[in-house]
Amino acid sequence: MARDDRAEPGPEEALPMLRWLRLLVTSLAAVMGLGVIAITVLLWMRLSEAPLPQLPEHIALPDGAKPAALTFARDWIVVVTEGGEVLLYDHQGRLRQEVRP
């Protein structure tokens, strides 16, 4: 029998698809990295603190009360103060109900 005098084949010659596999794994890692960056940016944009809507001029809060949340309903305007009070106003600005913590 004839003896093969060639040097030992390298890993890329022994496994012809190794170069293709390396390219696929590298591409997958790059795409995953870009995906993580995109998700992070989207979450940062979506969850960044939005400004509080402006309290209408015709609503007068009790002395010392600062609004923490404001909700506009169909028939009511609800103001939650930093002290935890819930104030219910009608659209004319009259205080209809007050709930204390």
Side-chain angles (χ1 to χ4, degrees), residues 25-41:
V25 169
T26 304
S27 300
L28 177 63
V31 168
M32 286 176 52
L34 290 174
V36 168
I37 290 171
I39 289 172
T40 304
V41 167

Side-chain angles (χ1 to χ4, degrees), residues 48-65:
S48 62
E49 189 173 327
L52 187 65
Q54 294 296 318
L55 190 64
E57 296 287 330
H58 59 277
I59 292 182
L61 293 177
D63 290 337

Side-chain angles (χ1 to χ4, degrees), residues 55-98:
L55 190 64
E57 296 287 330
H58 59 277
I59 292 182
L61 293 177
D63 290 337
K66 291 185 177 182
L70 184 62
T71 301
F72 295 95
R74 186 177 313 146
D75 299 328
W76 306 97
I77 298 173
V78 181
V79 179
V80 179
T81 64
E82 289 180 351
E85 295 176 290
V86 179
L87 307 172
L88 222 63
Y89 290 91
D90 61 10
H91 282 290
Q92 286 76 31
R94 292 182 297 239
L95 180 63
R96 292 297 182 179
Q97 190 174 358
E98 182 175 352

